[in-house]
Amino acid sequence: MTTKKITLCLFLTIFSVVYLSAQNNQKTEILLVGFDHLSQMDNGTPSSNIFSPKKQKEIVKLTEKLKRFSPNMIMVEKEPSEQAVVDSLYNSYLENKLQLSNIEYGTSETYQVGFRLAKMLNLKSVYGIDHYESTSQSLLNSGKNIELFKKGMGTLINAARPMKKSVQQDSLSIYDYIKTMNLPKYVKLSHNIIFNLPAYVMDGKFSEKGTNTVDIGNIDEKYIGAEYITLFYNRNLKIYSNILNTQLAHNTNRILLIMGQLHIGVLKDLLEDNPNYKIIEASEYLD
């Protein structure tokens, strides 16, 4: 056999292996949609009531837009340990035996969007992938360069609060609010302020009035800002692990993830580095 023939055979063999490998390792597509929790939207005024006809119409519009993605799995902000309860509620919802207004947090996106969309798509259930831990943003309030962090937090609050108020007053729709929150510039803004900017803060202490349920061992107060980031990152790594293992257990390939908007940037970073996943931008469906 000539050198050219050997080279051609080798090339065809390598091409075949690569092609077959690609065919057998299709990426799981995942669409991440961040929310300002709908269960925290009601401020007691009629216009902020999630069950008002206007708000329900807006949620239906949002759900119809996401339906176009045709997910075969919906993941929500519930823990895997709660799956039996979620399944029971969802089955009652399918049978029209459950009024969301009668259950705790029935106004949340888990039920208002997750359950509604799963029913539309005839899915078996929705799946909890959260890991419950709590760290308040007010925990970090002292140290060298703390003003940089506080300024960043102020920027985030000034961007989000007026939009939320407009939703509560019915001058901005829930659909347009969620669409705006998922624009890359807002995802990057919240991600930078929680997972980047605090690293500037050193030689401080966590506030005794702040909330934290995450145990990462001893806190090095010299690097107090970095420790703060670690608390948030720790929880999201566990959520990420739940995403991977839930997908693996059910062998799905099109996932819609519904989470608080602050989770989206860090989960997106983790999933983008996973060769088994392909990120689908929210803007493709929230147009």
Side-chain angles (χ1 to χ4, degrees):
M1 185 178 291
T2 65
T3 301
K4 287 184 178 181
K5 288 182 178 180
I6 293 174
T7 301
L8 179 60
C9 288
L10 181 60
F11 171 79
L12 291 174
T13 299
I14 294 173
F15 177 80
S16 297
V17 170
V18 171
Y19 177 79
L20 290 173
S21 176
Q23 293 297 304
N24 293 328
N25 291 282
Q26 294 295 321
K27 291 179 181 290
T28 295
E29 296 185 344
I30 185 165
L31 172 62
L32 296 88
V33 181
F35 279 77
D36 184 352
H37 296 305
L38 298 182
S39 59
Q40 299 172 6
M41 193 64 65
D42 194 331
N43 64 5
T45 61
S47 61
S48 68
N49 185 352
I50 293 298
F51 290 107
S52 71
K54 186 175 186 297
K55 290 282 193 286
Q56 285 294 297
K57 185 177 180 180
E58 293 166 1
I59 292 172
V60 168
K61 178 180 178 180
L62 174 62
T63 308
E64 290 284 359
K65 290 284 188 178
L66 296 175
K67 180 184 176 184
R68 297 181 299 159
F69 176 58
S70 299
N72 51 24
M73 172 173 275
I74 297 173
M75 295 181 174
V76 297
E77 213 161 329
K78 293 286 185 180
E79 282 200 339
S81 61
E82 299 175 290
Q83 192 60 48
V85 174
V86 172
D87 288 342
S88 177
L89 289 173
Y90 180 65
N91 288 333
S92 294
Y93 181 78
L94 289 180
E95 296 170 0
N96 298 316
K97 296 179 179 178
L98 177 68
Q99 292 291 328
L100 296 183
S101 57
N102 292 335
I103 64 173
E104 187 177 20
Y105 300 115
T107 55
S108 76
E109 56 274 11
T110 290
Y111 304 113
Q112 292 291 322
V113 179
F115 272 27
R116 193 189 305 262
L117 181 56
K119 184 177 182 178
M120 286 180 179
L121 296 171
N122 297 313
L123 299 184
K124 181 180 178 181
S125 191
V126 301
Y127 295 88
I129 46 75
D130 198 7
H131 178 79
Y132 293 156
E133 287 178 332
S134 179
T135 302
S136 65
Q137 294 164 16
S138 62
L139 190 67
L140 183 63
N141 70 353
S142 70
K144 179 182 176 182
N145 299 321
I146 188 63
E147 293 306 319
L148 290 174
F149 174 66
K150 288 184 175 181
K151 182 178 179 180
M153 285 300 304
T155 300
L156 180 61
I157 291 170
N158 290 334
R161 187 172 290 172
M163 287 192 288
K164 181 174 182 175
K165 185 176 181 180
S166 294
V167 174
Q168 292 171 325
Q169 295 175 340
D170 264 348
S171 58
L172 178 68
S173 73
I174 288 175
Y175 172 76
D176 287 325
Y177 184 31
I178 301 306
K179 172 185 173 180
T180 302
M181 286 184 65
N182 284 277
L183 292 175
K185 69 175 183 178
Y186 286 108
V187 173
K188 288 179 181 177
L189 174 64
S190 60
H191 179 66
N192 177 64
I193 290 166
I194 300 300
F195 293 94
N196 190 311
L197 199 57
Y200 282 102
V201 184
M202 300 184 71
D203 299 314
K205 292 181 180 293
F206 285 147
S207 170
E208 294 182 357
K209 296 180 180 179
T211 301
N212 178 53
T213 63
V214 185
D215 183 8
I216 58 170
N218 294 328
I219 299 296
D220 185 348
E221 293 180 344
K222 177 176 176 61
Y223 296 97
I224 195 67
E227 296 281 13
Y228 177 82
I229 296 172
T230 301
L231 297 174
F232 283 95
Y233 201 68
N234 182 280
R235 178 186 177 190
N236 282 279
L237 280 174
K238 292 169 184 175
I239 294 172
Y240 175 62
S241 181
N242 286 338
I243 292 171
L244 301 187
N245 284 282
T246 301
Q247 184 279 331
L248 193 63
H250 297 277
N251 194 30
T252 52
N253 59 8
R254 291 178 70 81
I255 298 171
L256 171 65
L257 175 72
I258 298 172
M259 293 287 289
Q261 197 259 15
L262 286 177
H263 297 280
I264 300 303
V266 62
L267 292 176
K268 193 172 183 179
D269 277 357
L270 291 166
L271 288 161
E272 281 178 337
D273 288 335
N274 188 323
N276 297 316
Y277 281 79
K278 177 183 178 182
I279 299 289
I280 305 300
E281 294 296 334
S283 59
E284 292 187 32
Y285 293 92
L286 302 181
D287 50 21

